[in-house]
Amino acid sequence: MLRIALMLIILLPLLAAPIAYSQSASTGHQSVLDVNSMDPSVDPCADFFTYSCGGWLKKNPIPPDKTGWGLSSKLADDNRVLLREILEEAAAPAPEKDPVKQKIGDYYTACMDESAIDAAGTAVLKTELDRIGRMHSKRDIASLVARMPNRGSLFDLQSDQDFKDSTQVIAEVDQDGLGLPDRDYYVKTDPKSVELRQAYLAHVQKMFELLGDAPGVVTTEAQAVMRIETALANGSLTQVERRNPKLLYHKMTRKQLEALSPSFHWKQYFSGTGQSGLRSLNVTAPEFFKAMHALLQKEDLESWKAYLRWHVVHANAPYLSSAFLNADFEFFGKTLSGAQELEPRWKRCVNYADNDLGEALGQAYAQRAFPPEAKQRAQEMVKEIEQAMEHDIEGLSWMSPETKQKALEKLHTVANKIGYPDKWRDYRALTIARDDELGNVLRARDFEFHRQLAKIGKPVDRGEWSMTPPTVNAYYSPQLNDINFPAGILQPPFFDPKADDAPNYGDMGATIGHELTHGFDDEGRQFDAQGNLRDWWTPEDGKRFEQRASCISDQYSQYVAVDDIKVNGQLTMGENVADLGGLVLAYMAWQNQTGGKKLDPIDGFTPEQRFFIGYGQGWCAETRDETKRMYATIDPHSPDKYRANGVVSDTPEFQQAFQCKAGSAMVRENRCRVW
Ligand SMILES: [Zn+2]
């Protein structure tokens, strides 16, 4: 989804429902620097990640229901314990409940009622499935797709800020419609990819069997799905292409879109989505819509019925009876991601509530988990990092004064959003029933779909958040030019206002610097202070940036992601630039803050060493091989180990702090540096 493409984050978010199964519980947070998490037998100059995290990794094997396990996923899991308390309290009978509590309580109650869910089977989807069954012409596909918003059906319709005029919200259509995580899964020819496609085909067939289709038909249906998705994949942009905003911007009239794919009944589609009056929009991937046109002509009605029925059941499988749920987990959880068991229901229900009613649930969370002093300290730290970036830009040897002035203007325009939104989302128009889990999910999805579309033609809401308060993550939006730090990440072990400065700056300071640097990475730098896609660089400065960024791309392309798969230096370039910039800025800010003061060693580590160990421990995590393989294709972040080692090996202050000899693995001969 485009919104994800243009939201530059620090950690990969939990993937959307069908491929989630990520992230169990024990509370008691460790501190921002924990010496017991280290492995002192490892030389910090040889492998800083294992030196910082080896102890933790030994004591914390990946739980069977997780696809990876680390300090951030553990914190997210701990957050879920508190969210469960909030939800159970809201679900308990009470004489008078405020409407927000009522809503989240009813949602959680319906979600936890496993026997009702099992009894319901696919009843809630019957209307949709019957409608597909009754189609008598391919012209009807459009009105069906319009009824299935955000259910992975063919493509997405959403709203977005106009890339060239960030004050305007316009409509946008984007590629989608695949069951596997990315287009690459359909086109790669290596043995592992071929094997995965065979397993996927068997899974699709299994779901048709569960729907009660005749044994003679299910194979034909699954093959039709595979053919249609493969053709859509061939028309889709790659992940690397999607990092280039210029390739995603094709504003056109509705007539032009209709000319791209005339075999799709756009009039019916826009009328079905309440957008009859739409005259122009952004088409992110014109080639995709051309491919869709050809496909609509080529494939027969029965194949399209199979495709649409698959997507209805696939998008909703996690909320269906156990037969569907388990089959879905077998493929997406086990085969594709490597998890061994399904997470307990309550954890899944907390995730769904966070997904569907995040700002209702988040209100109580923020009240309980985010004390005013944490907010205040985080605000101060953000200001300090911004000041550091100001000095950094002023002192750059490779940038002309002309471009520096524009860069400073952009920096000074960045909006800082900390903890939670000033104004909470209003869910009054969303009906939640205490006994209808799938109905709630479907209504919440439609609510969100229409909430997004209602923005078209209205002024941009700069206060809006794209992450919920309990989220352990952070992001930068190039179109809003803002940095966002949910309450969920502003706590130990990532941030502790009570701990000493060094590891706090090394960890949370570097995260703040990371998000800020995103405004100036290879993608973010293409947007100006107002969030418009507009080149504000002199051509020479642009070239010098690219040279420096390519040093980083070359560096990370050497690292092995898993087995014989290398890290994609192009896909991860923006994140790697942000990681390095983040640490540089955090170090500068920390030095400004403590410069001149005599700081004593703690636990036998100098303040400089504590800064870097704080940074290294931010990445303590291990991931299952299956998920590593998936991330190598879809995740713009490098594996955690390299987010630690890659960055410190480019940093002279690290070499000095640990007295590393030239030639050590953590001392790169040709250091990269952008910001
Ligand atoms: Zn990032």
Side-chain angles (χ1 to χ4, degrees):
M1 298 246 308
L2 185 68
R3 242 167 277 121
I4 298 297
L6 287 189
M7 203 170 86
L8 305 167
I9 61 183
I10 179 114
L11 301 161
L12 189 72
L14 300 186
L15 297 165
I19 38 172
Y21 310 117
S22 188
Q23 317 292 325
S24 223
S26 68
T27 32
H29 296 310
Q30 79 175 49
S31 76
V32 71
L33 191 164
D34 178 19
V35 289
N36 297 315
S37 292
M38 301 171 64
D39 182 348
S41 73
V42 173
D43 173 5
C45 303
D47 177 358
F48 187 62
F49 171 77
T50 309
Y51 170 78
S52 305
C53 296
W56 194 89
L57 293 171
K58 263 183 225 145
K59 282 176 277 187
N60 293 276
I62 304 173
D65 60 346
K66 303 290 183 284
T67 58
W69 195 232
L71 287 176
S72 65
S73 44
K74 185 179 177 302
L75 178 59
D77 219 52
D78 293 344
N79 283 350
R80 287 197 288 185
V81 175
L82 176 56
L83 293 170
R84 179 196 202 177
E85 263 175 50
I86 293 168
L87 287 163
E88 284 179 346
E89 242 175 68
E96 253 180 65
K97 258 189 233 175
D98 72 69
V100 170
K101 264 194 177 167
Q102 182 79 43
K103 205 152 255 177
I104 58 174
D106 287 351
Y107 184 99
Y108 188 69
T109 305
C111 186
M112 288 300 291
D113 193 347
E114 204 161 46
S115 54
I117 292 166
D118 273 337
T122 54
V124 176
L125 300 177
K126 193 174 183 308
T127 319
E128 217 60 61
L129 294 167
D130 287 351
R131 225 182 268 267
I132 296 169
R134 285 198 308 269
M135 276 201 307
H136 50 72
S137 152
K138 287 193 271 182
R139 298 289 280 170
D140 297 339
I141 291 173
S143 58
L144 271 158
V145 173
R147 289 179 49 85
M148 302 160 52
N150 294 350
R151 294 174 207 176
S153 50
L154 264 184
F155 62 87
D156 292 324
L157 170 66
Q158 62 207 21
S159 61
D160 197 358
Q161 280 172 272
D162 189 329
F163 282 28
K164 296 274 171 84
D165 180 359
S166 65
T167 62
Q168 300 296 312
V169 184
I170 59 169
E172 185 170 86
V173 283
D174 192 14
Q175 68 189 41
D176 199 356
L178 308 179
L180 287 166
D182 183 63
R183 46 99 52 208
D184 279 9
Y185 280 80
Y186 296 87
V187 301
K188 277 162 61 177
T189 53
D190 61 285
K192 188 77 195 168
S193 299
V194 172
E195 188 192 312
L196 264 177
R197 277 199 293 277
Q198 279 162 355
Y200 177 62
L201 192 68
H203 168 65
V204 176
Q205 179 169 328
K206 168 90 182 168
M207 295 301 255
F208 282 121
E209 284 165 14
L210 290 174
L211 280 174
D213 295 4
V217 183
V218 291
T219 315
T220 314
E221 288 178 317
Q223 282 164 347
V225 168
M226 198 64 173
R227 268 196 325 274
I228 291 177
E229 292 187 355
T230 305
L232 293 174
N234 276 306
S236 299
L237 293 170
T238 65
Q239 295 288 339
V240 169
E241 286 166 339
R242 289 177 70 80
R243 292 197 60 253
N244 181 350
K246 290 195 184 89
L247 294 180
L248 296 175
Y249 186 68
H250 313 90
K251 204 173 164 186
M252 48 180 88
T253 62
R254 178 165 150 182
K255 284 218 159 54
Q256 287 172 308
L257 169 66
E258 288 169 355
L260 274 182
S261 31
S263 53
F264 186 76
H265 202 326
W266 289 101
K267 189 168 180 235
Q268 255 187 24
Y269 177 77
F270 284 123
S271 144
T273 50
Q275 299 296 315
S276 293
L278 199 68
R279 291 289 162 264
S280 70
L281 74 175
N282 181 34
V283 178
T284 56
E287 290 305 314
F288 175 86
F289 291 94
K290 279 191 205 163
M292 185 178 96
H293 164 67
L295 199 54
L296 280 161
Q297 290 189 312
K298 191 176 163 218
E299 294 288 343
D300 64 14
L301 181 62
E302 289 309 308
S303 300
W304 281 103
K305 285 184 180 177
Y307 172 82
L308 292 173
R309 291 175 80 240
W310 152 249
H311 275 283
V312 168
V313 70
H314 166 58
N316 298 299
Y319 319 102
L320 291 174
S321 52
S322 51
F324 288 91
L325 170 69
N326 293 335
D328 183 67
F329 174 73
E330 279 298 317
F331 179 73
F332 287 100
K334 276 192 187 166
T335 307
L336 196 62
S337 317
Q340 294 160 359
E341 26 180 271
L342 193 59
E343 285 195 311
R345 178 165 284 276
W346 75 264
K347 290 197 180 183
R348 287 178 274 134
C349 287
V350 168
N351 284 358
Y352 301 156
D354 179 48
N355 190 52
D356 287 342
L357 292 165
E359 289 197 16
L361 177 57
Q363 293 180 30
Y365 174 83
Q367 252 171 27
R368 294 202 201 175
F370 196 50
E373 60 270 25
K375 182 164 182 161
Q376 198 197 334
R377 184 69 192 104
Q379 277 167 330
E380 287 164 9
M381 199 182 253
V382 168
K383 288 254 155 64
E384 291 161 17
I385 304 281
E386 286 172 344
Q387 271 165 15
M389 188 155 209
E390 192 174 308
H391 294 308
D392 175 62
I393 291 172
E394 282 164 352
L396 287 178
S397 60
W398 56 272
M399 191 182 258
S400 69
E402 201 182 334
T403 307
K404 277 185 186 175
Q405 197 200 327
K406 299 267 169 49
L408 289 169
E409 188 190 317
K410 179 166 182 175
L411 173 66
H412 294 147
T413 317
V414 171
N416 306 330
K417 285 151 72 180
I418 318 258
Y420 51 86
D422 292 336
K423 191 169 164 278
W424 295 104
R425 192 166 298 165
D426 180 356
Y427 293 99
R428 274 177 300 184
L430 170 59
T431 305
I432 295 297
R434 212 172 160 84
D435 57 359
D436 183 12
E437 146 79 347
L438 180 56
N440 291 339
V441 172
L442 294 176
R443 282 187 293 273
R445 246 186 243 154
D446 287 355
F447 171 83
E448 176 61 15
F449 177 71
H450 290 291
R451 191 182 73 81
Q452 293 293 348
L453 294 187
K455 297 179 189 172
I456 297 168
K458 304 225 174 75
V460 175
D461 176 4
R462 295 194 165 263
E464 191 176 357
W465 283 65
S466 300
M467 280 181 186
T468 64
T471 306
V472 182
N473 210 332
Y475 71 95
Y476 168 76
S477 160
Q479 288 163 292
L480 290 170
N481 195 24
D482 63 8
I483 48 176
N484 302 261
F485 305 94
I489 199 171
L490 294 169
Q491 56 180 326
F494 297 110
F495 176 64
D496 183 0
K498 295 185 188 80
D500 62 313
D501 276 342
N504 266 315
Y505 279 83
D507 197 330
M508 188 47 62
T511 296
I512 296 167
H514 172 104
E515 298 307 339
L516 200 56
T517 307
H518 270 317
F520 305 87
D521 72 13
D522 60 314
E523 191 175 355
R525 79 175 187 92
Q526 301 185 54
F527 291 83
D528 68 12
Q530 280 68 44
N532 294 306
L533 182 59
R534 191 178 67 82
D535 193 0
W536 47 270
W537 295 61
T538 66
E540 299 74 38
D541 288 331
K543 255 190 222 106
R544 281 191 283 262
F545 174 91
E546 275 163 17
Q547 273 163 10
R548 287 172 175 266
S550 74
C551 173
I552 297 211
S553 166
D554 292 345
Q555 176 188 350
Y556 283 79
S557 297
Q558 308 290 317
Y559 298 141
V560 174
V562 60
D563 301 335
D564 57 342
I565 302 176
K566 292 262 176 75
V567 173
N568 182 336
Q570 289 297 317
L571 175 63
T572 58
M573 188 198 275
E575 296 300 333
N576 299 332
V577 166
D579 280 344
L580 179 56
L583 191 70
V584 167
L585 296 178
Y587 195 84
M588 284 173 72
W590 175 59
Q591 295 274 293
N592 290 342
Q593 212 46 32
T594 52
K597 279 186 219 156
K598 169 95 184 72
L599 300 173
D600 295 325
I602 302 178
D603 297 331
F605 299 105
T606 67
E608 287 76 14
Q609 291 172 336
R610 291 178 63 79
F611 172 91
F612 286 106
I613 299 168
Y615 176 73
Q617 291 195 338
W619 302 117
C620 294
E622 182 54 290
T623 306
R624 292 191 193 275
D625 283 355
E626 292 85 345
T627 293
K628 280 184 184 163
R629 194 170 277 276
M630 174 160 64
Y631 284 180
T633 303
I634 63 167
D635 186 0
H637 305 90
S638 295
D640 298 288
K641 178 177 176 175
Y642 306 120
R643 296 189 75 175
N645 287 353
V647 167
V648 297
S649 65
D650 279 326
T651 310
E653 293 83 356
F654 170 81
Q655 179 183 7
Q656 209 175 1
F658 287 91
Q659 300 289 306
C660 298
K661 292 197 184 75
S664 313
M666 297 294 103
V667 180
R668 278 173 58 80
E669 201 182 323
N670 300 309
R671 285 194 177 108
C672 302
R673 173 87 183 259
V674 183
W675 297 101

